[in-house]
Amino acid sequence: MDLSNSYNSVIVGKSYVSIAFAILQKTRLGIDNLVLDDETFQLGDKWNTNIGELEKKTLQKLGQIYNIEPLARIDQFIEQNNTLIFLNEKMIELGSSPFSNIKELARKLPQCFSNEFIESLEQIVPESFDAQVDGFFNKVAVDSVDEKKLDEKRLFLGESEPLESVFKRFLKYFESDQLVTNQLHYILQALFQTLISNVLSETESRYLLAAILSPRYRIDTKRLEEELMRSVTLSLY
């Protein structure tokens, strides 16, 4: 492949994230990128290959809007993968159902929620709750890729019951200064974020709960990267 005489920017480290970013810059802004394949510059494996429903829907939405065909059919590159969280002597297993995940959290960490809330879970229709959470994920994905709608302070608002009650109860628990709370916060950051901090924000806490509710997926990164490279002309070295 021949190199151009000039590039607007250089992206160091090849992954489906850096390739998709380069494609978006080219598509949206006409920016030409040189992507350098340097193994010393990589995202951590757990964040690069393990994503949730929010990330999946956002990648899919970007693919649909900007005609990035591999992202639009992201479902073909992923498989559902349960998440195991070990907290002290308890094991929390999160699967494909948001309702099952919140029940698992309430059962293993009852201090997260009031007794009344835990009892009220029995009155919730699992399929209805799962559908409500899926609609919430869809809304967040749409707002995330629309600069006019993007408002970080409102991005993760549940908007309706019982989802917003779940968020508010979880936030109240997260704000309590307990050892187990701090441990859970750290574990969730390590699992679902690239940033580790002891400073809490409501937006971050709501995102972490959304990650708990969400099904998790493992991406076939090699195949996705290959298809992304074939979908557009980029300079990759």
Side-chain angles (χ1 to χ4, degrees), residues 19-20 29 37 46 58 61 66 73 88 103 130 149 156 159-160 174 221 228:
I19 296 171
L29 305 172
D37 187 6
K46 65 174 65 68
T58 301
K61 185 61 64 176
Y66 297 106
R73 52 184 179 86
N88 299 323
K103 283 200 71 175
D130 287 354
K149 292 183 178 180
F156 294 104
E159 294 192 335
S160 59
F174 246 28
T221 56
L228 282 170

Side-chain angles (χ1 to χ4, degrees), residues 66-113:
Y66 297 106
N67 197 30
I68 306 174
E69 193 261 345
L71 292 186
R73 52 184 179 86
I74 188 71
D75 284 326
Q76 297 180 14
F77 301 93
I78 61 175
E79 61 178 1
Q80 199 267 321
N81 190 40
N82 284 10
T83 299
L84 297 178
I85 298 175
F86 293 91
L87 184 59
N88 299 323
E89 297 180 354
K90 295 182 178 179
M91 183 186 79
I92 303 168
E93 183 172 6
L94 306 175
S96 61
S97 163
F99 181 77
S100 296
N101 290 342
I102 200 63
K103 283 200 71 175
E104 173 77 351
L105 192 67
R107 186 168 68 90
K108 298 294 178 64
L109 297 174
Q111 61 268 46
C112 282
F113 308 101

Side-chain angles (χ1 to χ4, degrees), residues 24-35:
L24 283 170
Q25 285 210 311
K26 177 76 171 179
T27 303
R28 295 180 61 200
L29 305 172
I31 293 176
D32 290 317
N33 296 276
L34 174 64
V35 180

